[in-house]
Amino acid sequence: MEETISLRELFAVLRKRLWLIVLITIIAATVSGVISFFVLTPVYESKTQILVNQAKNDQQLYSNQAVQTNVQLINTYNDIITSPAILDKVVKELKMNTSAQSLSGQIQVTSAQDSQVAQIVVQDTSAKRAAQIANTTASVFQKQVPKLMNVDNVKVLSKATVGESASPIKPQPLLNIAIALVVGLMVGIGLSFLLEYLDNTLKTEQDIENILDLPVIGVVTNIKDVPKPSNVSRPDVAARVPQRGETYGS
């Protein structure tokens, strides 16, 4: 016999386990908020822009081929910026207690398509240190390009600055709490249906009718309070022990 579940039964399960769903959702949101505000370390981001452009004299015309050459050079420069040839000097100049390989994990070089402008993006737990790393990396790279590529076509467009109210890019507590609410809600609903599926006990007359496919003709109710018989003696009857030769009632 195939079993079908109606929407009414699904909502009945959710209503029955509503306390569990709410509890799991609140716990998930609370844990996410505590971790986001008090456990995770804030990470700040700073950016420096550099321009890749060939130096031109008065007689040289601005050609599309030169622009394409500069754009293609950016891909090469992206690898050079995060290489030990540059980052070793950055670490030495800033007197950082880290390695070039570790520092490369904090630096990302991005550029828009067909653009001669590249961004050096640095993430660090200190907003001031992130700006210092970005500016120093751009400066060192600009000085080392003529030695490495035999060209002098890099200029710093804008330096990284630290604002008075710098805000971290991560963690984002509100976003984390919102995600935790959704995940907690899904877990609570899934757990509710799982508990209902594993529960094979009979609780109502309807359960018996559904399983046996027979009507219920009688129900035995629970008797909780049974009155106790009273044992009060009559005041006009005195209890007396019969003497020898006497019987009760004489």
Side-chain angles (χ1 to χ4, degrees), residues 151-163:
V151 290
D152 187 7
N153 62 346
V154 175
K155 296 180 181 180
V156 177
L157 282 182
S158 62
K159 293 185 177 181
T161 57
V162 181

Side-chain angles (χ1 to χ4, degrees), residues 2 6 27 42-43 52 54 62 72 76 81 83 88 100 127 147 168 170 189 201 214 217-218:
E2 296 183 357
S6 63
I27 291 176
V43 176
V52 179
Q54 296 284 353
Y62 187 82
Q72 293 175 2
T76 303
I81 291 175
S83 67
D88 280 338
K147 300 178 182 179
K170 57 183 180 182
I189 294 175
T201 59
L214 295 173
I217 60 176

Side-chain angles (χ1 to χ4, degrees), residues 234 237-241:
R234 295 175 58 187
V237 179
R240 185 171 62 89
V241 178

